[in-house]
Amino acid sequence: MPNVRSRKFRSLLSAGCALTLGILPAAWPPKPALSADRIFFALGPLDFSVAVDSLERFADDGSMNTDLAFFASRLNDRQLEQFRQVLQRRFDANHVTLSRLTYTPMGEALLKRVGRLIQLDRDLNGYKGIRAAVVLAAAQPDGFTILDVLRQFPGEDIRLNTDFVFEVVRELTALIEYRDAALEAIDRQAASEAATEPVVDFAQLPDLRQPGPYEVIERTVTFRVNRLRQTQLGVSATYDLEVLMHLPEDNPQPAPLVVITHGFGSTVRSYEHLSRHLASHGIAVASPAHIGSNLDYREGLLAGLSSNLISPIEYINRAEDVTTFLDELERLVAADSSWAGQLDLERVGILGYSFGGTNALSLAGADLNLRRLNQDCVPGLFALNISLLVQCRATYLPPGNYDLGDSRLKAVLAAYPASSYIYGPESIGQIQIPTLLVASSNDIITPAIPEQIHPFVWLNTPEKYLAAIVPGTHFSSAQAGVTDGLPSFLSGPRPDLGRGFLFALNVAFFQTYLNEDPDYLPYLGARYADYLSSEELKLQTIRSLDAAQLETAFGETPPLAIIPEPAIAENRDPEDSVLEEIRQTGILKVAMRGDAAPLGYIDSQERLWTGYCADLFEALADRLTEQLDRPEGIEVVRLSSDLGNRFDLVRDNTVHLECGPNSI
């Protein structure tokens, strides 16, 4: 294993150019960021620059001016061609939608991270310039290129934080090498476990990737819930909890139940292919609609009806949706004999994908770890793991002990969950039921190493499994059609094979631990995973992995702590001022009305939260940035207030200020 720290400066420079000018724009269109006329950066004591005209000439015909040729000589032919393709690539995005997204708290936080890399001037975060340039470029017809963004960037020049570029490159290189080493460790562990498993001819056994013997009945049930709930239209005091159910027809005995909690921006139909597959194998499936983070909510966000990509309270609301559904279903089964004959509520499991997988781990017994979140989600955090943006939203929850586990759950399967900051080893270690974590090696949304592989090491439950899809992505098991049009680095190879992996794993896992059928246990072994694998897409399933194996495979101390130090309790003096808290956290928490013009309201044209209160909070944040000497800025976190909660929000320290048409 080569030593990361011994890499030559030439390699770092090449990778730095590729990362800054190529990888970031390709991964997310709103992140292209260079300057209007020239790009300045430092190498040691010397300053260098490249003209935007030189980049345009290179993109047009491949020829190079002298300033660009100096840097191009440090890239190989393949890197140069990739760079040219990035410059030529056109993006099609609505400028109004981009504007709304970049003004959400999460969108702004992401821009500020990129703004540390791409500066308006030395040490001046460039996020405002990035936002303006992208939105203006997107407003032109027929799409836009990175070069279009360059010409819209405010000012004449922009400066790259070269030291930070190299820091990111070193981190990226180390993480990729560590990921590959971890996959080697998993491969060796799978081979070791396979050697101890009985030899089974799976070709002679039922193929769990194929539908089972039962026809499937579809039913929808709706329960009225009297509880505050975040929706795409704001906070509602009551709401309808709609649940899509798939039941095995003519099952000779009541079926076990699996509850599917869907991902962000999904619907109850997003996992219908898996729901019907499980039902055909004799397992009932229920999919609650999480109205605070489903497709309607996402579309409402893009329409300007909401200012938060994900509300912090959604971590609570999602778990309450599942618990409320199980409560109501118990009453329904007790009152209606037809339901009692179909469901066995003594055998219930939970299944979640992506954000739903994170939710499933909470329900399985992992407490929200606010102590770790408050310690690790530091202001200005720059990480290649973009799931931290979603996890760190939970830091805005009011203080409290959030025990969201449901003791009725007997097994949990979480595919591609985010779990490193929001749970950490302290909370993951609390899970005591059989657990299967699914990871994809090339997942850039919830990266496998910090979000699934390390958490697998943290699990203490004796019945645990890790299934790694190589070289899978976040969408490697998505329903047919979902990946249409996605670039290959997101869709991955052969999602049809990935769906087969997940079909078989789900049936085997829940038949083993809900139906307590030992005949399915061999399907959870390393031999069966090898049987399912192909050259294009491989499945590795293991039951054990420890920190020593990962460290040995990497050959040195990994770039990410496998078992991080315990989170330290926050010892804040109660006499500390609010200003001191804001100075330390970089966060100004505010609340305002969305229906009280001119103080706080949703603008009918722009569909953005606006009004005197909004302007006041932004002005206050700018003033505090100067007063508290925080050049990285103060982030304004906005919560919705109303006549019923406005005083409670301030009294309970949920927000620092509330602004609205309040009587005195």
Side-chain angles (χ1 to χ4, degrees), residues 286-309:
S287 303
H290 301 297
I291 62 174
S293 50
N294 61 1
L295 179 62
D296 288 342
Y297 183 89
R298 186 180 70 183
E299 291 178 344
L301 170 77
L302 298 180
L305 300 177
S306 172
S307 61
N308 287 324
L309 186 58

Side-chain angles (χ1 to χ4, degrees), residues 237-546:
T238 62
Y239 65 99
D240 287 332
L241 177 60
E242 181 181 299
V243 183
L244 177 68
M245 302 191 69
H246 291 107
L247 309 170
E249 188 174 23
D250 297 329
N251 200 6
Q253 60 183 1
L257 174 69
V258 170
V259 181
I260 295 182
T261 169
H262 65 69
F264 173 75
S266 299
T267 73
V268 294
R269 298 283 181 185
S270 297
Y271 307 100
E272 184 177 4
H273 62 312
L274 178 57
S275 180
R276 288 184 173 276
H277 186 77
L278 283 170
S280 75
H281 282 269
I283 298 173
V285 183
S287 303
H290 301 297
I291 62 174
S293 50
N294 61 1
L295 179 62
D296 288 342
Y297 183 89
R298 186 180 70 183
E299 291 178 344
L301 170 77
L302 298 180
L305 300 177
S306 172
S307 61
N308 287 324
L309 186 58
I310 292 179
S311 170
I313 203 67
E314 190 63 9
Y315 283 104
I316 313 301
N317 290 155
R318 278 175 155 259
E320 290 178 336
D321 282 345
V322 174
T323 297
T324 298
F325 163 66
L326 291 177
D327 291 342
E328 295 293 338
L329 193 60
E330 284 183 343
R331 285 189 277 271
L332 185 61
V333 167
D336 188 333
S337 60
S338 64
W339 279 100
Q342 295 188 74
L343 298 173
D344 181 356
L345 298 186
E346 295 297 318
R347 298 178 292 158
V348 182
I350 185 75
L351 165 63
Y353 283 76
S354 191
F355 190 39
T358 304
N359 183 34
L361 294 175
S362 271
L363 286 155
D367 293 346
L368 298 182
N369 195 341
L370 297 189
R371 180 179 296 181
R372 179 163 294 281
L373 284 165
N374 289 328
Q375 172 182 290
D376 293 344
C377 293
V378 295
L381 171 72
F382 186 96
L384 298 173
N385 179 357
I386 62 175
S387 80
L388 297 183
L389 282 171
V390 179
Q391 295 182 64
C392 288
R393 291 294 296 164
T395 59
Y396 305 138
L397 287 168
N401 295 318
Y402 295 105
D403 178 7
L404 303 174
D406 194 310
S407 61
R408 290 169 291 196
L409 300 175
K410 301 299 189 293
V412 56
L413 192 157
Y416 327 124
S419 56
S420 58
Y421 279 21
I422 196 164
Y423 300 126
E426 301 91 346
S427 295
I428 291 293
Q430 296 172 343
I431 298 175
Q432 296 301 313
I433 61 177
T435 303
L436 192 159
L437 298 180
V438 180
S440 280
S441 63
N442 295 359
D443 190 339
I444 65 171
I445 297 174
T446 53
I449 288 287
E451 303 307 332
Q452 297 100 41
I453 295 177
H454 284 179
F456 177 73
V457 175
W458 305 338
L459 281 168
N460 292 321
T461 178
E463 301 296 336
K464 66 176 186 177
Y465 301 85
L466 173 67
I469 302 175
V470 184
T473 72
H474 199 73
F475 301 97
S476 281
S477 56
Q479 191 165 209
V482 170
T483 59
D484 292 350
L486 287 180
S488 59
F489 72 88
L490 285 177
S491 63
R494 296 294 302 275
D496 58 319
L497 294 178
R499 284 192 292 274
F501 294 168
L502 267 293
F503 281 0
L505 285 171
N506 274 274
V507 172
F509 182 71
F510 288 117
Q511 290 285 18
T512 299
Y513 292 105
L514 296 186
N515 265 337
E516 299 180 351
D517 189 338
D519 290 342
Y520 287 88
L521 198 56
Y523 291 100
L524 293 173
R527 285 182 180 272
Y528 184 61
D530 185 62
Y531 171 77
L532 294 181
S533 298
S534 70
E535 290 186 2
E536 296 170 283
L537 202 63
K538 184 176 181 179
L539 178 66
Q540 297 170 317
T541 304
I542 58 175
R543 297 196 60 171
S544 176
L545 189 70
D546 59 37

